[in-house]
Amino acid sequence: MNCKIVSFPNNVQEIIFHFIPDTSPSLDGLQGRRFRFGTVEERKVILVMTGLGVINAAITTQLLLSFFNVEGVIHYGIAGNANPDLHIGDVAIPQYWAHTGLWNWQRYGQGPEDELALESSGDYTRTLGYLRFANYTTNVTGCASHDNLLNNIWYQPEEVFPVTGTPEERQHEFWVPVGSTYFAVAKKLEGLKLESCVNATTCLNYTPSVSTVERGVSASIYLDNSAYRSFIYDKFNVSPVDMESTSVALICYQQNTSFIAIRALSDLAGGGSAESNEADTFVNLASDNAVTVVVEFIKQLSSSTL
């Protein structure tokens, strides 16, 4: 059975792509998810929609890895763009992903010099740094400093329990790498020219292309805020910001399975016009560009000698 992958709904960011070998187990227990079987560039594949957010993406990925003997995972779709050097319609392929939605929210009156609750037991850390809400207070005049009851949030790494490790012996990971072989193949796609027109009357004034980048981040937050966009870029040097990829990366990391995420940039995560989000206009263009790059990636992977 061939799998049609040239047309998807607007929420294509919830799609995940997988390679599979010749054998598959019973599908009992997969109710609620539809796993579509097919081939792309003579590779056997399964296509499944994860659903919105990090929890749905993690559940779907774990189901897939539990029920099928997969070779690797390609996660793809749309994302916001935090990198001022990239543009709407471009496709970004990060080498590392982090979950930026796991916080320790510090009580009012405490600061960077104060130990976090449970920090001494190894549950939390101040290593990754924090966001101080008072830095974003507006309409403050006549004083050199100000405060905010929301205080600080400290970014935290995820607890992980790799199958190659000791059961119940936790490790911590913040920047999760993609598969080294997959990333080497992705670098062959750099500069690939992509579609620039939504339709006959709506076009970008440049030609989007593919870039491999250092970092991407995920959280179950739709980011459409200029101040936080600038903060997250300056602090972590990230390009795509989405709601699913890191959870897929973490599951694959724990299961010792190759992984890569391919994200087309549909909007500027709040960094564009104050009147509307660009995704309203460019979501279909970005979705199509993501699919184009996935197919080309599989083509390059199939012919790769890495």
Side-chain angles (χ1 to χ4, degrees), residues 78-224:
I78 63 172
N81 173 34
N83 186 341
D85 292 330
L86 298 180
H87 307 90
I88 290 173
D90 288 343
V91 169
I93 308 177
Q95 188 174 11
Y96 299 94
W97 285 90
H99 178 210
T100 51
L102 182 58
W103 301 340
N104 185 307
W105 205 321
Q106 198 172 33
R107 67 175 59 192
Y108 178 71
Q110 294 188 340
E113 70 284 355
D114 296 302
E115 186 177 279
L116 302 175
L118 304 181
E119 182 179 351
S120 60
S121 65
D123 289 341
Y124 299 105
T125 177
R126 284 172 287 166
T127 301
L128 296 170
Y130 65 102
L131 167 65
R132 181 173 184 261
F133 283 96
N135 290 342
Y136 297 90
T137 303
T138 62
N139 300 321
V140 175
T141 60
C143 62
S145 64
H146 45 275
D147 214 344
N148 189 301
L149 290 173
L150 292 175
N151 203 26
N152 307 316
I153 57 170
W154 292 83
Y155 292 91
Q156 301 298 317
E158 289 280 353
E159 284 188 355
V160 292
F161 301 86
V163 294
T164 55
T166 302
E168 297 187 358
E169 186 173 301
R170 65 179 177 177
Q171 300 177 26
H172 289 92
E173 295 292 339
F174 190 69
W175 293 113
V176 182
V178 304
S180 57
T181 297
Y182 282 9
F183 194 68
V185 172
K187 291 187 76 68
K188 296 181 179 182
L189 305 181
E190 286 187 319
L192 177 69
K193 302 304 180 184
L194 302 169
E195 181 58 56
S196 60
C197 291
V198 177
N199 51 45
T201 59
T202 305
C203 292
L204 299 166
N205 60 4
Y206 53 86
T207 301
S209 63
V210 178
S211 295
T212 55
V213 297
E214 184 180 14
R215 294 170 173 176
V217 295
S218 307
S220 286
I221 302 165
Y222 187 90
L223 179 54
D224 192 25

Side-chain angles (χ1 to χ4, degrees), residues 49-67:
M49 184 171 69
T50 65
L52 184 70
V54 295
I55 294 176
N56 273 320
I59 291 171
T60 307
T61 306
Q62 187 60 65
L63 281 172
L64 182 112
L65 297 185
S66 296
F67 281 84

Side-chain angles (χ1 to χ4, degrees), residues 12-16 50-58 61 73-79 92-94 96-99 176-178 216-220 240-253 259-264:
V12 70
Q13 74 273 13
E14 301 169 30
I15 300 295
I16 188 171
T50 65
L52 184 70
V54 295
I55 294 176
N56 273 320
T61 306
V73 175
I74 304 173
H75 182 61
Y76 71 100
I78 63 172
I93 308 177
Y96 299 94
W97 285 90
H99 178 210
V176 182
V178 304
V217 295
S218 307
S220 286
V241 291
D242 70 21
M243 302 175 70
E244 294 86 20
S245 293
T246 304
S247 60
V248 182
L250 282 162
I251 296 297
C252 290
Y253 177 81
F259 159 82
I260 199 164
I262 295 171
R263 287 287 184 165

